[in-house]
Amino acid sequence: TVLNRVNSNEFPDTIYNVIYQPDQFSPVGSGRFDAVEPSDECYQALNMVIDGWDKSQGALYFESCSEADNWHSRNLEHLFTYGRHRFYK
């Protein structure tokens, strides 16, 4: 979803600015994002995405919550659910 946002006119145009946009990603807000060292598997996944792989189907938003009725579900197009996450456009 981060690269989809970078490529969208609705969001900032750099990865850094998308990730650090206020109130968007809870690991950034909690400081956890900056405390984790990426593994080799993370870099492999990054290379796949850079090469054009997009399992998100163009999603710009995702959420992990149990409420079926919320802002996302009322205002965005639901694309799919994967595990406990719902993806939207």
Side-chain angles (χ1 to χ4, degrees), residues 8-29:
S8 168
N9 291 330
E10 299 175 43
F11 295 92
D13 60 357
T14 69
I15 293 171
Y16 180 91
N17 288 341
V18 165
I19 291 172
Y20 286 95
Q21 191 174 18
D23 302 320
Q24 292 298 306
F25 297 100
S26 58
V28 173

Side-chain angles (χ1 to χ4, degrees), residues 55-88:
K55 181 121 179 152
S56 79
Q57 301 175 20
L60 295 172
Y61 306 88
F62 68 94
E63 65 178 344
S64 173
C65 68
S66 58
E67 298 175 26
D69 181 37
N70 57 41
W71 184 91
H72 288 97
S73 65
R74 289 189 302 274
N75 294 283
L76 301 172
E77 173 190 350
H78 178 256
L79 297 172
F80 65 96
T81 300
Y82 183 79
R84 294 175 36 175
H85 290 83
R86 291 187 294 251
F87 291 78
Y88 299 89

Side-chain angles (χ1 to χ4, degrees), residues 40-59:
D40 288 340
E41 189 176 70
C42 290
Y43 286 108
Q44 291 170 1
L46 173 62
N47 287 327
M48 290 171 60
V49 171
I50 288 171
D51 289 341
W53 181 78
D54 181 13
K55 181 121 179 152
S56 79
Q57 301 175 20

